[in-house]
Amino acid sequence: MTQVTSNKPKIAVIGLGNIGSIVAENLVKGNRPVIVADRKIEKAKGLSKKLGNLARPMEIPAAIKEADIIVFAIWFEAIKELLSKYATELQGKIIIDPSNPIAPDEKGGFRKIIDKEQSAGQILFTLLPKGAKLVKALGTLGAASLEKSAFQQPEKVVLFYASNDAGIATEIEAVIRDNGFEPVRIGGIDQSIRLEVFGDLHEFGALGKTVTLMEAKQAA
Ligand SMILES: NC(=O)c1ccc[n+]([C@@H]2O[C@H](COP(=O)([O-])OP(=O)(O)OC[C@H]3O[C@@H](n4cnc5c(N)ncnc54)[C@H](OP(=O)(O)O)[C@@H]3O)[C@@H](O)[C@H]2O)c1
């Protein structure tokens, strides 16, 4: 297979479930090479076959080692586990957290698994490997909208993000644009709760829908 190169930072999507496979597919549609990794390598190989040679399958440890930007498209508890397991390899890297700290409740809905006032983003921030930079992003829409609304014309749909590191805005905003969305930074990681499910800027929170840039500015 021909390896495709790019002058942009290397990005890896870890976890190829609903969100991870859509993020990888969006990036390929945006002409951005992406490393795809899952604990089942066959899943990564299968997705790569479907998406073409912009999507390179790898085992999780190799993907984390090679990429500059890691999207953890896995559940909150699993992100905690991988931050600890790969603490050395993740040093200095940009980590994107799309997680919602929720689990199914007994009524067919979802409940928050951390304190009401807490956010997954703030908790993960305290667990960061040395020099790593955390970005809360790619989780403000449900999987269906993340797929359907990518590259919307004539006006793109917004993806909000939060990070303490304004210095990585160029890299992050390129990832969001290459996914087919318009980036809007709403502040530091302490704003994560607004971007997580039930938050005021989440599709399944007070926002309740996808928004364009003008609507986003009013909402934020
Ligand atoms: N679904 C949505 O609409 C949505 C929207 C916004 C944000 N999110 C967030 O996005 C994240 C992923 O959600 P999803 O719906 O894509 O979940 P999903 O379809 O269940 O996929 C989860 C992925 O995580 C992998 N995984 C689980 N435990 C792991 C571990 N310990 N180490 C490595 N990989 C592990 C799974 O691998 P296996 O196949 O091997 O089990 C699977 O590929 C969650 O944090 C969720 O809150 C989801």
Side-chain angles (χ1 to χ4, degrees), residues 61-77:
I64 289 178
K65 201 165 165 206
E66 175 139 347
D68 310 296
I69 303 175
I70 322 284
V71 180
F72 276 127
I74 57 182
W75 293 91
F76 172 60
E77 290 298 334

Side-chain angles (χ1 to χ4, degrees), residues 14-22 37-40 43 60 72-79 81-82 85-86 97-102 136-146 195 197 202-204:
I14 311 291
L16 304 173
N18 295 309
I19 291 296
S21 56
I22 294 165
D38 193 273
R39 55 187 174 179
K40 299 183 190 101
K43 214 155 118 189
I60 291 176
F72 276 127
I74 57 182
W75 293 91
F76 172 60
E77 290 298 334
I79 300 180
E81 191 187 310
L82 296 203
K85 189 167 175 187
Y86 297 105
D97 160 35
S99 73
N100 290 305
I102 51 172
K136 186 89 210 175
L138 303 176
T140 46
L141 299 178
S145 294
L146 194 65
L195 305 187
V197 78
H202 197 282
E203 186 183 14
F204 301 144

Side-chain angles (χ1 to χ4, degrees), residues 10 32 50 67 81 87 124 134 149 165 178 190-191 200:
K10 285 186 188 167
R32 176 92 179 242
K50 178 181 156 206
E81 191 187 310
L124 295 176
L134 186 68
S149 307
D165 303 278
D178 290 341
D190 62 351
Q191 299 295 305
D200 68 313

Side-chain angles (χ1 to χ4, degrees), residues 90 92-96 125 128-129 131-135 163 165 167-168:
L90 286 166
K93 306 223 172 181
I94 296 175
I95 295 170
I96 299 186
F125 184 74
L128 278 184
K133 300 173 180 75
L134 186 68
V135 183
S163 171
D165 303 278
I168 55 169

